[in-house]
Amino acid sequence: MESSRARRTRPSASRSLVYGALAAVAVVGATAAGTVYVQARAHAGTSAVSSSAAVTPSPSEEVSVESVARPAVDRDGLLATALEGVEVPEGVEVSVAVLDLASGASASYGDRAFDTASIVKVDILAALLLQAQDAGRRLTAAERAYATAMIEDSDNASASELWRAIGQAQGLDAANERLGLTRTEGGDGMLWGLTQTTAVDQLRLLRQVFGEDSELSEDSRAYLSGLMGRIAAGQRWGVSAAGDGSGWALKNGWLPRTATGLWDINSVGRVAVDGRDCLVAVLSDGNATQAEGIALVEAAAVAAVSLLAGQDASVATTPTASVAATAVS
């Protein structure tokens, strides 16, 4: 935020003349360092002056100090700028959403819907756990076996079994309405991998899994997040690249399109960075190869998490007793 400059005051004799004519004094602005600007309103025929010098009003003068919140940081704009450093091949589209769990600071880029591919498996299991909670029961041994294979190994046959168990798209959509996902729509028939979703919706789902304010019970959250922390070795790519290696939990999705030969590459999960937990969702399509898509998703995740790691979330929420004069960009 740029500091404002106060206009210089007139010599002391003139200043006394103007101050004697004051009707009211109001505080109207401040720099980031806290310098208070004073606007003095004179009687008719006397012009207003401003000064950064300390002013002590007389008993007859009134001072008005208005308390407002500091302007919010435009993190969406900053994320868009950060992603300019990520090479996105022509014809490829990518969308990103990220959240610092502790501070609540978040940012997103892109709002179009993408095919989920296998990241929908997190949503399928969340729906199953929610249904089991409603029925007051635990998952059966068979359901737990399918869930383990579906999340840890990304087994498609297991996903199909649980997709049927939740009632396919109708069951998924009903669960998502409760989970707060507003732009996710289950795939037709058994085509669960063609479920449509946005990065922001995936961030909402991650909050249900890793946050405390959730429709899922503590046991359900621990079970699902635990499976996401035991992904098969060959699938530990994606958003995990943005962490410091101390902890991660994720689910990836990859889908070669028959008509074009291009790849959908998605990754969602939680990463730890310097003791802070960040939730990240990166969706992409139009990738020429799986390897290129993975590299893109990882670079976008690193850019997004690095942005939040360098931001002070308190700037957007801490009130101040003086008025902030300019917006932060």
Side-chain angles (χ1 to χ4, degrees):
M1 181 167 63
E2 298 181 359
S3 298
S4 303
R5 297 177 179 270
R7 293 193 296 274
R8 295 185 178 274
T9 54
R10 297 182 181 277
S12 57
S14 292
R15 184 188 303 156
S16 298
L17 207 58
V18 174
Y19 285 179
L22 286 175
V25 179
V27 177
V28 297
T31 67
T35 304
V36 176
Y37 289 10
V38 178
Q39 177 177 313
R41 295 178 183 171
H43 286 299
T46 309
S47 61
V49 298
S50 64
S51 173
S52 60
V55 178
T56 303
S58 68
S60 63
E61 296 169 349
E62 295 180 359
V63 176
S64 171
V65 179
E66 190 175 346
S67 178
V68 299
R70 295 177 183 174
V73 174
D74 178 15
R75 291 189 179 85
D76 290 354
L78 292 174
L79 178 56
T81 300
L83 290 173
E84 290 177 0
V86 174
E87 183 177 354
V88 181
E90 185 176 356
V92 176
E93 293 198 48
V94 63
S95 184
V96 185
V98 62
L99 168 75
D100 184 316
L101 266 179
S103 69
S106 65
S108 64
Y109 172 83
D111 63 357
R112 60 154 287 198
F114 292 75
D115 293 325
T116 57
S118 285
I119 62 170
V120 74
K121 292 168 182 175
V122 175
D123 204 2
I124 292 172
L125 184 50
L128 179 66
L129 289 167
L130 196 58
Q131 290 178 0
Q133 286 177 202
D134 291 345
R137 68 172 183 88
R138 296 180 178 274
L139 298 188
T140 66
E143 287 171 338
R144 294 179 72 87
Y146 289 138
T148 298
M150 177 179 72
I151 300 297
E152 293 185 6
D153 301 319
S154 202
D155 183 69
N156 290 338
S158 296
S160 293
E161 290 294 337
L162 295 185
W163 179 251
R164 292 188 187 96
I166 65 170
Q168 301 183 22
Q170 183 177 1
L172 188 80
D173 293 346
N176 284 340
E177 185 174 354
R178 293 172 58 184
L179 296 172
L181 280 65
T182 60
R183 295 191 58 200
T184 299
E185 184 176 350
D188 293 335
M190 291 302 294
L191 300 177
W192 44 261
L194 297 186
T195 295
Q196 290 275 292
T197 194
T198 64
V200 169
D201 254 14
Q202 287 303 297
L203 198 63
R204 293 184 177 120
L205 178 60
L206 291 171
R207 291 191 73 168
Q208 291 287 327
V209 177
F210 296 100
E212 295 182 357
D213 184 13
S214 174
E215 291 290 318
L216 296 171
S217 70
E218 183 177 355
D219 287 344
S220 292
R221 298 196 306 272
Y223 176 65
L224 180 45
S225 62
L227 293 178
M228 293 175 70
R230 296 192 294 271
I231 296 297
Q235 300 176 25
R236 296 176 184 177
W237 47 265
V239 298
S240 55
D244 59 15
S246 62
W248 54 263
L250 61 84
K251 184 70 193 79
N252 297 320
W254 57 99
L255 178 65
R257 306 313 298 262
T258 304
T260 63
L262 301 177
W263 287 76
D264 297 341
I265 303 292
N266 305 322
S267 185
V268 299
R270 175 191 61 80
V271 298
V273 183
D274 298 330
R276 303 166 68 176
D277 283 335
C278 289
L279 306 181
V280 199
V282 185
L283 311 180
S284 73
D285 63 18
N287 298 283
T289 67
Q290 183 181 17
E292 288 183 10
I294 290 173
L296 170 62
V297 163
E298 291 184 341
V302 169
V305 171
S306 297
L307 168 70
L308 285 195
Q311 289 290 317
D312 179 7
S314 66
V315 173
T317 57
T318 304
T320 176
S322 56
V323 177
T326 62
V328 178
S329 60

